Amino acid sequence: MKEDFYEILGISKGASATEIKKAYRKKAIQYHPDKNQGDPKAEEMFKKAAEAYEVLSDPDKKARYDQFGHSAFEGGGGFGGGSMNMDDIFSQFGDIFGGAFGGGGGGFSGFGGFGGGGQRRVKGSNLRIRVKLTLEEVANGVEKKVKVRRKKQAAGVTYKTCSTCNGNGQVTKITNTILGRMQTAATCSTCGGSGQQIDKKPNGADAQGLVVDEETVSIKIPAGVEEGMQLKVPGKGNEAPGNGVSGDLLVAIETLDHASLKREGDNLHFDLYISISEAVLGTSKEIDSVGGKVRIKLEPGIQSGKILRLRGKGVSNINGYGSGDLLVHVNVWTPKELNKEQKDFFERMQNSENFEPKPEKSDKSFFEKVKDMFS
Ligand SMILES: [Zn+2]
């Protein structure tokens, strides 16, 4: 059972924002780790007070807490027992103590021997590239090999423990504040927090011991990506010096237009043109789609404007929900020039009863078809 946030701060439910702030300030001073060295109970109270203040000082969180209690923050809320670390807590202080701790947060971590802190692993910078994909590649997924110019640790480079911070990654400062003597830690500016500095720098390497090297990186692109999406290849950005970790390679997707297929979500559209005689007599056509050739049969008497739906012949869904459809729009091509024989034929047909339009209910209007397409 978690304690009530109001009780922790020793205030009533109707407390104003100023009262909440004042109460927290009092508790923070009372239980501050520097004044209670080696007292785990004080540390516990210090953290509890910070957690209570984190919620009650935020109007949104406070409203949720007032309504639902602790359950408002379970599962993703981030306020499960002691989830705040000391960095979080000290970053509150800029607000509470008006910057009395120097520079409004940011600089605090690794306090008097608890809460972790210490050296952090430096991460190399990310690299960005663009990849152009054909519709076929988008529809089926593809593995692309791209040349990337990455910074890497030069051959023969060595690193040693940073002499400024002795490998801690941080330098400690003693300052006098309203809470008494405070020990604060800041990231070491010599090593940037890694705790290491360059020892042997080979020729051609930069100040961090890195050189630019071209590397072929293989990128697996899943089916169904869209223009503007960004994929991440972890660890294929620039390397970091020392024992740091590499940055990531960020891949922006560009898609190329297809000569005859149009994409709409996971569906594909294709305009098929057939002759009047094909429409009258029926025919069979082959369509070059993204998964290869698709053969479709057109029944005798097919109407211009009919849309044939080929299920699953579209683009694979990026989230794995099957594939879209290929929608074939039938267009009957009317000849613009006729020779004498053809002209005679059509003139004779003008009076034929079979050539007179008699649309049936099943010959849906354009608007009904559009409605169908999106349903
Ligand atoms: Zn250092």
Side-chain angles (χ1 to χ4, degrees), residues 235-282:
K236 288 295 178 186
N238 288 324
E239 281 186 3
N243 60 2
V245 291
S246 294
D248 303 321
L249 176 64
L250 304 175
V251 184
I253 300 293
E254 271 181 46
T255 57
L256 299 167
D257 284 341
H258 190 275
S260 54
L261 293 162
K262 283 259 175 301
R263 181 183 180 187
E264 186 187 53
D266 293 340
N267 290 339
L268 293 173
H269 296 268
F270 180 81
D271 265 317
L272 176 69
Y273 287 88
I274 58 172
S275 69
I276 288 186
S277 26
E278 283 174 324
V280 172
L281 303 172

mmCIF file of all heavy atoms in Angstrom, residues 235-282:
data_model
loop_
_atom_site.group_PDB
_atom_site.id
_atom_site.type_symbol
_atom_site.label_atom_id
_atom_site.label_comp_id
_atom_site.label_asym_id
_atom_site.label_seq_id
_atom_site.Cartn_x
_atom_site.Cartn_y
_atom_site.Cartn_z
ATOM 1 N N GLY A 235 23.584 1.230 -34.152
ATOM 2 C CA GLY A 235 25.026 0.976 -34.109
ATOM 3 C C GLY A 235 25.768 1.231 -35.407
ATOM 4 O O GLY A 235 26.957 0.979 -35.493
ATOM 5 N N LYS A 236 25.082 1.734 -36.450
ATOM 6 C CA LYS A 236 25.777 1.967 -37.714
ATOM 7 C C LYS A 236 26.003 3.459 -37.993
ATOM 8 O O LYS A 236 26.234 3.867 -39.124
ATOM 9 C CB LYS A 236 25.031 1.302 -38.875
ATOM 10 C CG LYS A 236 25.144 -0.225 -38.862
ATOM 11 C CD LYS A 236 26.591 -0.672 -39.082
ATOM 12 C CE LYS A 236 26.730 -2.196 -39.019
ATOM 13 N NZ LYS A 236 28.152 -2.585 -39.095
ATOM 14 N N GLY A 237 25.895 4.271 -36.931
ATOM 15 C CA GLY A 237 26.275 5.676 -37.051
ATOM 16 C C GLY A 237 27.755 5.796 -36.729
ATOM 17 O O GLY A 237 28.501 4.820 -36.851
ATOM 18 N N ASN A 238 28.171 6.968 -36.315
ATOM 19 C CA ASN A 238 29.583 7.160 -35.988
ATOM 20 C C ASN A 238 29.959 6.431 -34.706
ATOM 21 O O ASN A 238 29.174 6.373 -33.763
ATOM 22 C CB ASN A 238 29.883 8.659 -35.835
ATOM 23 C CG ASN A 238 29.871 9.377 -37.166
ATOM 24 O OD1 ASN A 238 30.301 8.823 -38.181
ATOM 25 N ND2 ASN A 238 29.365 10.599 -37.168
ATOM 26 N N GLU A 239 31.163 5.893 -34.700
ATOM 27 C CA GLU A 239 31.657 5.267 -33.478
ATOM 28 C C GLU A 239 32.007 6.348 -32.472
ATOM 29 O O GLU A 239 32.252 7.505 -32.844
ATOM 30 C CB GLU A 239 32.901 4.409 -33.774
ATOM 31 C CG GLU A 239 32.570 3.065 -34.371
ATOM 32 C CD GLU A 239 33.793 2.156 -34.525
ATOM 33 O OE1 GLU A 239 34.905 2.548 -34.116
ATOM 34 O OE2 GLU A 239 33.609 1.046 -35.071
ATOM 35 N N ALA A 240 32.067 5.961 -31.201
ATOM 36 C CA ALA A 240 32.466 6.888 -30.139
ATOM 37 C C ALA A 240 33.882 6.539 -29.728
ATOM 38 O O ALA A 240 34.329 5.421 -29.939
ATOM 39 C CB ALA A 240 31.503 6.739 -28.961
ATOM 40 N N PRO A 241 34.597 7.502 -29.137
ATOM 41 C CA PRO A 241 35.940 7.164 -28.655
ATOM 42 C C PRO A 241 35.873 6.237 -27.440
ATOM 43 O O PRO A 241 34.831 6.134 -26.801
ATOM 44 C CB PRO A 241 36.532 8.521 -28.295
ATOM 45 C CG PRO A 241 35.357 9.405 -28.032
ATOM 46 C CD PRO A 241 34.246 8.906 -28.899
ATOM 47 N N GLY A 242 36.996 5.607 -27.124
ATOM 48 C CA GLY A 242 37.105 4.781 -25.925
ATOM 49 C C GLY A 242 36.118 3.637 -25.932
ATOM 50 O O GLY A 242 35.928 2.966 -26.941
ATOM 51 N N ASN A 243 35.466 3.442 -24.791
ATOM 52 C CA ASN A 243 34.534 2.314 -24.682
ATOM 53 C C ASN A 243 33.090 2.757 -24.956
ATOM 54 O O ASN A 243 32.149 2.101 -24.559
ATOM 55 C CB ASN A 243 34.641 1.667 -23.300
ATOM 56 C CG ASN A 243 34.318 2.648 -22.186
ATOM 57 O OD1 ASN A 243 33.977 3.808 -22.456
ATOM 58 N ND2 ASN A 243 34.434 2.222 -20.957
ATOM 59 N N GLY A 244 32.929 3.904 -25.626
ATOM 60 C CA GLY A 244 31.587 4.394 -25.946
ATOM 61 C C GLY A 244 30.885 3.504 -26.958
ATOM 62 O O GLY A 244 31.481 2.587 -27.517
ATOM 63 N N VAL A 245 29.602 3.795 -27.165
ATOM 64 C CA VAL A 245 28.828 2.997 -28.114
ATOM 65 C C VAL A 245 28.597 3.795 -29.397
ATOM 66 O O VAL A 245 28.563 5.028 -29.378
ATOM 67 C CB VAL A 245 27.460 2.561 -27.524
ATOM 68 C CG1 VAL A 245 27.660 1.545 -26.427
ATOM 69 C CG2 VAL A 245 26.675 3.756 -27.027
ATOM 70 N N SER A 246 28.433 3.080 -30.496
ATOM 71 C CA SER A 246 28.227 3.739 -31.787
ATOM 72 C C SER A 246 26.847 4.376 -31.868
ATOM 73 O O SER A 246 25.890 3.889 -31.249
ATOM 74 C CB SER A 246 28.350 2.716 -32.912
ATOM 75 O OG SER A 246 29.670 2.237 -32.966
ATOM 76 N N GLY A 247 26.742 5.446 -32.635
ATOM 77 C CA GLY A 247 25.447 6.056 -32.910
ATOM 78 C C GLY A 247 24.661 5.177 -33.878
ATOM 79 O O GLY A 247 25.081 4.068 -34.225
ATOM 80 N N ASP A 248 23.524 5.685 -34.322
ATOM 81 C CA ASP A 248 22.665 4.899 -35.206
ATOM 82 C C ASP A 248 22.673 5.483 -36.621
ATOM 83 O O ASP A 248 22.990 6.649 -36.819
ATOM 84 C CB ASP A 248 21.231 4.896 -34.669
ATOM 85 C CG ASP A 248 21.169 4.367 -33.247
ATOM 86 O OD1 ASP A 248 21.902 3.403 -32.961
ATOM 87 O OD2 ASP A 248 20.415 4.928 -32.434
ATOM 88 N N LEU A 249 22.288 4.647 -37.550
ATOM 89 C CA LEU A 249 22.124 5.105 -38.927
ATOM 90 C C LEU A 249 20.619 5.287 -39.150
ATOM 91 O O LEU A 249 19.845 4.348 -39.005
ATOM 92 C CB LEU A 249 22.688 4.059 -39.899
ATOM 93 C CG LEU A 249 22.493 4.350 -41.388
ATOM 94 C CD1 LEU A 249 23.230 5.613 -41.807
ATOM 95 C CD2 LEU A 249 22.981 3.171 -42.227
ATOM 96 N N LEU A 250 20.223 6.517 -39.470
ATOM 97 C CA LEU A 250 18.800 6.809 -39.674
ATOM 98 C C LEU A 250 18.533 6.867 -41.177
ATOM 99 O O LEU A 250 19.185 7.602 -41.910
ATOM 100 C CB LEU A 250 18.426 8.127 -39.006
ATOM 101 C CG LEU A 250 18.757 8.179 -37.509
ATOM 102 C CD1 LEU A 250 18.477 9.558 -36.935
ATOM 103 C CD2 LEU A 250 17.970 7.116 -36.749
ATOM 104 N N VAL A 251 17.593 6.069 -41.610
ATOM 105 C CA VAL A 251 17.333 5.902 -43.040
ATOM 106 C C VAL A 251 15.976 6.509 -43.389
ATOM 107 O O VAL A 251 14.944 6.029 -42.938
ATOM 108 C CB VAL A 251 17.336 4.403 -43.418
ATOM 109 C CG1 VAL A 251 17.163 4.224 -44.915
ATOM 110 C CG2 VAL A 251 18.611 3.723 -42.930
ATOM 111 N N ALA A 252 15.993 7.590 -44.186
ATOM 112 C CA ALA A 252 14.736 8.208 -44.620
ATOM 113 C C ALA A 252 14.292 7.540 -45.921
ATOM 114 O O ALA A 252 15.078 7.359 -46.843
ATOM 115 C CB ALA A 252 14.935 9.698 -44.832
ATOM 116 N N ILE A 253 13.021 7.179 -45.972
ATOM 117 C CA ILE A 253 12.486 6.466 -47.130
ATOM 118 C C ILE A 253 11.921 7.447 -48.158
ATOM 119 O O ILE A 253 11.145 8.337 -47.819
ATOM 120 C CB ILE A 253 11.346 5.507 -46.690
ATOM 121 C CG1 ILE A 253 11.861 4.475 -45.671
ATOM 122 C CG2 ILE A 253 10.696 4.833 -47.898
ATOM 123 C CD1 ILE A 253 12.848 3.481 -46.225
ATOM 124 N N GLU A 254 12.342 7.248 -49.410
ATOM 125 C CA GLU A 254 11.751 7.984 -50.533
ATOM 126 C C GLU A 254 11.175 6.947 -51.477
ATOM 127 O O GLU A 254 11.793 5.919 -51.719
ATOM 128 C CB GLU A 254 12.829 8.781 -51.266
ATOM 129 C CG GLU A 254 13.046 10.169 -50.731
ATOM 130 C CD GLU A 254 14.117 10.905 -51.520
ATOM 131 O OE1 GLU A 254 14.092 10.860 -52.758
ATOM 132 O OE2 GLU A 254 14.986 11.501 -50.871
ATOM 133 N N THR A 255 10.003 7.226 -52.020
ATOM 134 C CA THR A 255 9.412 6.246 -52.932
ATOM 135 C C THR A 255 9.311 6.821 -54.334
ATOM 136 O O THR A 255 8.986 8.001 -54.510
ATOM 137 C CB THR A 255 8.018 5.817 -52.438
ATOM 138 O OG1 THR A 255 7.198 6.976 -52.315
ATOM 139 C CG2 THR A 255 8.081 5.118 -51.090
ATOM 140 N N LEU A 256 9.596 5.989 -55.317
ATOM 141 C CA LEU A 256 9.541 6.407 -56.721
ATOM 142 C C LEU A 256 8.179 6.052 -57.304
ATOM 143 O O LEU A 256 7.584 5.035 -56.933
ATOM 144 C CB LEU A 256 10.641 5.688 -57.510
ATOM 145 C CG LEU A 256 12.065 5.977 -57.038
ATOM 146 C CD1 LEU A 256 13.058 4.991 -57.648
ATOM 147 C CD2 LEU A 256 12.453 7.406 -57.393
ATOM 148 N N ASP A 257 7.694 6.894 -58.213
ATOM 149 C CA ASP A 257 6.409 6.607 -58.860
ATOM 150 C C ASP A 257 6.548 5.417 -59.794
ATOM 151 O O ASP A 257 7.601 5.194 -60.389
ATOM 152 C CB ASP A 257 5.936 7.829 -59.653
ATOM 153 C CG ASP A 257 5.377 8.900 -58.745
ATOM 154 O OD1 ASP A 257 5.031 8.575 -57.589
ATOM 155 O OD2 ASP A 257 5.289 10.070 -59.181
ATOM 156 N N HIS A 258 5.475 4.671 -59.940
ATOM 157 C CA HIS A 258 5.448 3.525 -60.839
ATOM 158 C C HIS A 258 4.796 3.963 -62.148
ATOM 159 O O HIS A 258 3.933 4.837 -62.161
ATOM 160 C CB HIS A 258 4.636 2.401 -60.186
ATOM 161 C CG HIS A 258 4.730 1.094 -60.903
ATOM 162 N ND1 HIS A 258 3.914 0.783 -61.969
ATOM 163 C CD2 HIS A 258 5.535 0.023 -60.707
ATOM 164 C CE1 HIS A 258 4.234 -0.446 -62.386
ATOM 165 N NE2 HIS A 258 5.208 -0.924 -61.639
ATOM 166 N N ALA A 259 5.230 3.364 -63.250
ATOM 167 C CA ALA A 259 4.727 3.773 -64.564
ATOM 168 C C ALA A 259 3.220 3.539 -64.699
ATOM 169 O O ALA A 259 2.515 4.350 -65.311
ATOM 170 C CB ALA A 259 5.474 3.023 -65.648
ATOM 171 N N SER A 260 2.691 2.466 -64.154
ATOM 172 C CA SER A 260 1.283 2.157 -64.398
ATOM 173 C C SER A 260 0.476 1.847 -63.139
ATOM 174 O O SER A 260 -0.742 1.761 -63.194
ATOM 175 C CB SER A 260 1.175 0.984 -65.372
ATOM 176 O OG SER A 260 1.922 -0.103 -64.873
ATOM 177 N N LEU A 261 1.120 1.691 -62.019
ATOM 178 C CA LEU A 261 0.383 1.381 -60.790
ATOM 179 C C LEU A 261 0.403 2.573 -59.850
ATOM 180 O O LEU A 261 1.420 3.238 -59.701
ATOM 181 C CB LEU A 261 1.016 0.182 -60.087
ATOM 182 C CG LEU A 261 0.919 -1.166 -60.802
ATOM 183 C CD1 LEU A 261 1.933 -2.143 -60.231
ATOM 184 C CD2 LEU A 261 -0.483 -1.742 -60.703
ATOM 185 N N LYS A 262 -0.754 2.828 -59.226
ATOM 186 C CA LYS A 262 -0.835 3.906 -58.233
ATOM 187 C C LYS A 262 -1.120 3.275 -56.888
ATOM 188 O O LYS A 262 -1.973 2.419 -56.764
ATOM 189 C CB LYS A 262 -1.991 4.855 -58.583
ATOM 190 C CG LYS A 262 -1.681 5.811 -59.711
ATOM 191 C CD LYS A 262 -1.341 7.204 -59.181
ATOM 192 C CE LYS A 262 -0.911 8.148 -60.295
ATOM 193 N NZ LYS A 262 0.275 7.681 -61.035
ATOM 194 N N ARG A 263 -0.391 3.734 -55.878
ATOM 195 C CA ARG A 263 -0.602 3.188 -54.545
ATOM 196 C C ARG A 263 -1.545 4.077 -53.746
ATOM 197 O O ARG A 263 -1.482 5.306 -53.847
ATOM 198 C CB ARG A 263 0.731 3.096 -53.809
ATOM 199 C CG ARG A 263 0.601 2.523 -52.415
ATOM 200 C CD ARG A 263 1.928 2.511 -51.710
ATOM 201 N NE ARG A 263 1.780 1.959 -50.362
ATOM 202 C CZ ARG A 263 2.736 1.945 -49.460
ATOM 203 N NH1 ARG A 263 3.911 2.460 -49.747
ATOM 204 N NH2 ARG A 263 2.527 1.448 -48.271
ATOM 205 N N GLU A 264 -2.416 3.419 -52.964
ATOM 206 C CA GLU A 264 -3.305 4.154 -52.061
ATOM 207 C C GLU A 264 -3.405 3.306 -50.803
ATOM 208 O O GLU A 264 -4.114 2.299 -50.796
ATOM 209 C CB GLU A 264 -4.663 4.324 -52.732
ATOM 210 C CG GLU A 264 -5.627 5.188 -51.972
ATOM 211 C CD GLU A 264 -6.986 5.154 -52.636
ATOM 212 O OE1 GLU A 264 -7.505 4.039 -52.854
ATOM 213 O OE2 GLU A 264 -7.509 6.216 -52.939
ATOM 214 N N GLY A 265 -2.658 3.663 -49.766
ATOM 215 C CA GLY A 265 -2.569 2.802 -48.581
ATOM 216 C C GLY A 265 -1.933 1.493 -49.006
ATOM 217 O O GLY A 265 -0.876 1.484 -49.634
ATOM 218 N N ASP A 266 -2.581 0.394 -48.681
ATOM 219 C CA ASP A 266 -2.035 -0.910 -49.076
ATOM 220 C C ASP A 266 -2.597 -1.374 -50.417
ATOM 221 O O ASP A 266 -2.191 -2.414 -50.930
ATOM 222 C CB ASP A 266 -2.361 -1.964 -48.002
ATOM 223 C CG ASP A 266 -1.631 -1.679 -46.699
ATOM 224 O OD1 ASP A 266 -0.625 -0.942 -46.748
ATOM 225 O OD2 ASP A 266 -2.063 -2.171 -45.648
ATOM 226 N N ASN A 267 -3.563 -0.626 -50.973
ATOM 227 C CA ASN A 267 -4.140 -1.031 -52.259
ATOM 228 C C ASN A 267 -3.369 -0.430 -53.427
ATOM 229 O O ASN A 267 -2.733 0.608 -53.310
ATOM 230 C CB ASN A 267 -5.604 -0.565 -52.349
ATOM 231 C CG ASN A 267 -6.505 -1.348 -51.405
ATOM 232 O OD1 ASN A 267 -6.163 -2.455 -50.990
ATOM 233 N ND2 ASN A 267 -7.644 -0.766 -51.072
ATOM 234 N N LEU A 268 -3.488 -1.119 -54.568
ATOM 235 C CA LEU A 268 -2.894 -0.615 -55.800
ATOM 236 C C LEU A 268 -4.002 -0.433 -56.821
ATOM 237 O O LEU A 268 -4.973 -1.193 -56.842
ATOM 238 C CB LEU A 268 -1.862 -1.609 -56.341
ATOM 239 C CG LEU A 268 -0.597 -1.813 -55.511
ATOM 240 C CD1 LEU A 268 0.240 -2.943 -56.089
ATOM 241 C CD2 LEU A 268 0.220 -0.517 -55.464
ATOM 242 N N HIS A 269 -3.857 0.581 -57.657
ATOM 243 C CA HIS A 269 -4.834 0.829 -58.719
ATOM 244 C C HIS A 269 -4.155 0.707 -60.066
ATOM 245 O O HIS A 269 -3.036 1.180 -60.247
ATOM 246 C CB HIS A 269 -5.439 2.223 -58.576
ATOM 247 C CG HIS A 269 -6.233 2.380 -57.324
ATOM 248 N ND1 HIS A 269 -7.593 2.133 -57.267
ATOM 249 C CD2 HIS A 269 -5.868 2.736 -56.076
ATOM 250 C CE1 HIS A 269 -8.026 2.335 -56.031
ATOM 251 N NE2 HIS A 269 -7.000 2.704 -55.295
ATOM 252 N N PHE A 270 -4.885 0.082 -60.997
ATOM 253 C CA PHE A 270 -4.345 -0.078 -62.347
ATOM 254 C C PHE A 270 -5.437 0.250 -63.361
ATOM 255 O O PHE A 270 -6.559 -0.240 -63.259
ATOM 256 C CB PHE A 270 -3.871 -1.525 -62.563
ATOM 257 C CG PHE A 270 -3.304 -1.772 -63.937
ATOM 258 C CD1 PHE A 270 -1.994 -1.411 -64.244
ATOM 259 C CD2 PHE A 270 -4.090 -2.353 -64.932
ATOM 260 C CE1 PHE A 270 -1.473 -1.628 -65.508
ATOM 261 C CE2 PHE A 270 -3.572 -2.580 -66.203
ATOM 262 C CZ PHE A 270 -2.266 -2.212 -66.494
ATOM 263 N N ASP A 271 -5.121 1.115 -64.323
ATOM 264 C CA ASP A 271 -6.069 1.450 -65.386
ATOM 265 C C ASP A 271 -5.859 0.502 -66.552
ATOM 266 O O ASP A 271 -4.803 0.520 -67.185
ATOM 267 C CB ASP A 271 -5.847 2.901 -65.847
ATOM 268 C CG ASP A 271 -6.776 3.851 -65.128
ATOM 269 O OD1 ASP A 271 -7.971 3.497 -64.978
ATOM 270 O OD2 ASP A 271 -6.322 4.932 -64.715
ATOM 271 N N LEU A 272 -6.883 -0.294 -66.827
ATOM 272 C CA LEU A 272 -6.790 -1.252 -67.932
ATOM 273 C C LEU A 272 -7.625 -0.742 -69.105
ATOM 274 O O LEU A 272 -8.781 -0.370 -68.927
ATOM 275 C CB LEU A 272 -7.327 -2.620 -67.478
ATOM 276 C CG LEU A 272 -7.381 -3.714 -68.547
ATOM 277 C CD1 LEU A 272 -5.974 -4.153 -68.954
ATOM 278 C CD2 LEU A 272 -8.170 -4.927 -68.046
ATOM 279 N N TYR A 273 -7.026 -0.692 -70.290
ATOM 280 C CA TYR A 273 -7.754 -0.256 -71.478
ATOM 281 C C TYR A 273 -8.011 -1.462 -72.373
ATOM 282 O O TYR A 273 -7.089 -2.206 -72.693
ATOM 283 C CB TYR A 273 -6.955 0.818 -72.231
ATOM 284 C CG TYR A 273 -6.976 2.131 -71.481
ATOM 285 C CD1 TYR A 273 -6.017 2.409 -70.514
ATOM 286 C CD2 TYR A 273 -7.996 3.061 -71.720
ATOM 287 C CE1 TYR A 273 -6.065 3.592 -69.810
ATOM 288 C CE2 TYR A 273 -8.039 4.244 -71.020
ATOM 289 C CZ TYR A 273 -7.075 4.512 -70.059
ATOM 290 O OH TYR A 273 -7.127 5.687 -69.345
ATOM 291 N N ILE A 274 -9.283 -1.643 -72.763
ATOM 292 C CA ILE A 274 -9.624 -2.738 -73.679
ATOM 293 C C ILE A 274 -10.397 -2.141 -74.850
ATOM 294 O O ILE A 274 -10.956 -1.036 -74.762
ATOM 295 C CB ILE A 274 -10.467 -3.846 -72.989
ATOM 296 C CG1 ILE A 274 -11.764 -3.276 -72.393
ATOM 297 C CG2 ILE A 274 -9.640 -4.544 -71.918
ATOM 298 C CD1 ILE A 274 -12.726 -4.338 -71.885
ATOM 299 N N SER A 275 -10.414 -2.886 -75.959
ATOM 300 C CA SER A 275 -11.108 -2.395 -77.151
ATOM 301 C C SER A 275 -12.605 -2.706 -77.027
ATOM 302 O O SER A 275 -13.025 -3.499 -76.168
ATOM 303 C CB SER A 275 -10.545 -3.075 -78.392
ATOM 304 O OG SER A 275 -10.915 -4.439 -78.375
ATOM 305 N N ILE A 276 -13.392 -2.067 -77.894
ATOM 306 C CA ILE A 276 -14.838 -2.331 -77.899
ATOM 307 C C ILE A 276 -15.099 -3.820 -78.155
ATOM 308 O O ILE A 276 -15.918 -4.444 -77.493
ATOM 309 C CB ILE A 276 -15.545 -1.460 -78.963
ATOM 310 C CG1 ILE A 276 -15.565 0.005 -78.489
ATOM 311 C CG2 ILE A 276 -16.959 -1.966 -79.235
ATOM 312 C CD1 ILE A 276 -16.350 0.926 -79.385
ATOM 313 N N SER A 277 -14.363 -4.392 -79.123
ATOM 314 C CA SER A 277 -14.613 -5.807 -79.416
ATOM 315 C C SER A 277 -14.238 -6.710 -78.251
ATOM 316 O O SER A 277 -14.903 -7.682 -77.963
ATOM 317 C CB SER A 277 -13.901 -6.242 -80.699
ATOM 318 O OG SER A 277 -12.783 -5.453 -80.943
ATOM 319 N N GLU A 278 -13.166 -6.351 -77.518
ATOM 320 C CA GLU A 278 -12.791 -7.144 -76.334
ATOM 321 C C GLU A 278 -13.876 -7.047 -75.272
ATOM 322 O O GLU A 278 -14.207 -8.035 -74.615
ATOM 323 C CB GLU A 278 -11.459 -6.650 -75.757
ATOM 324 C CG GLU A 278 -10.240 -7.102 -76.549
ATOM 325 C CD GLU A 278 -8.937 -6.502 -76.066
ATOM 326 O OE1 GLU A 278 -8.934 -5.324 -75.638
ATOM 327 O OE2 GLU A 278 -7.926 -7.220 -76.113
ATOM 328 N N ALA A 279 -14.436 -5.837 -75.128
ATOM 329 C CA ALA A 279 -15.502 -5.650 -74.148
ATOM 330 C C ALA A 279 -16.719 -6.478 -74.530
ATOM 331 O O ALA A 279 -17.376 -7.083 -73.678
ATOM 332 C CB ALA A 279 -15.869 -4.168 -74.043
ATOM 333 N N VAL A 280 -17.001 -6.531 -75.836
ATOM 334 C CA VAL A 280 -18.188 -7.260 -76.310
ATOM 335 C C VAL A 280 -17.974 -8.770 -76.223
ATOM 336 O O VAL A 280 -18.835 -9.509 -75.740
ATOM 337 C CB VAL A 280 -18.519 -6.844 -77.763
ATOM 338 C CG1 VAL A 280 -19.608 -7.725 -78.350
ATOM 339 C CG2 VAL A 280 -18.943 -5.371 -77.802
ATOM 340 N N LEU A 281 -16.794 -9.209 -76.653
ATOM 341 C CA LEU A 281 -16.568 -10.653 -76.778
ATOM 342 C C LEU A 281 -15.951 -11.301 -75.531
ATOM 343 O O LEU A 281 -15.931 -12.516 -75.401
ATOM 344 C CB LEU A 281 -15.660 -10.932 -77.982
ATOM 345 C CG LEU A 281 -16.181 -10.401 -79.330
ATOM 346 C CD1 LEU A 281 -15.118 -10.547 -80.404
ATOM 347 C CD2 LEU A 281 -17.467 -11.114 -79.740
ATOM 348 N N GLY A 282 -15.428 -10.458 -74.638
ATOM 349 C CA GLY A 282 -14.728 -11.004 -73.467
ATOM 350 C C GLY A 282 -13.287 -11.254 -73.825
ATOM 351 O O GLY A 282 -12.942 -11.442 -74.997
#
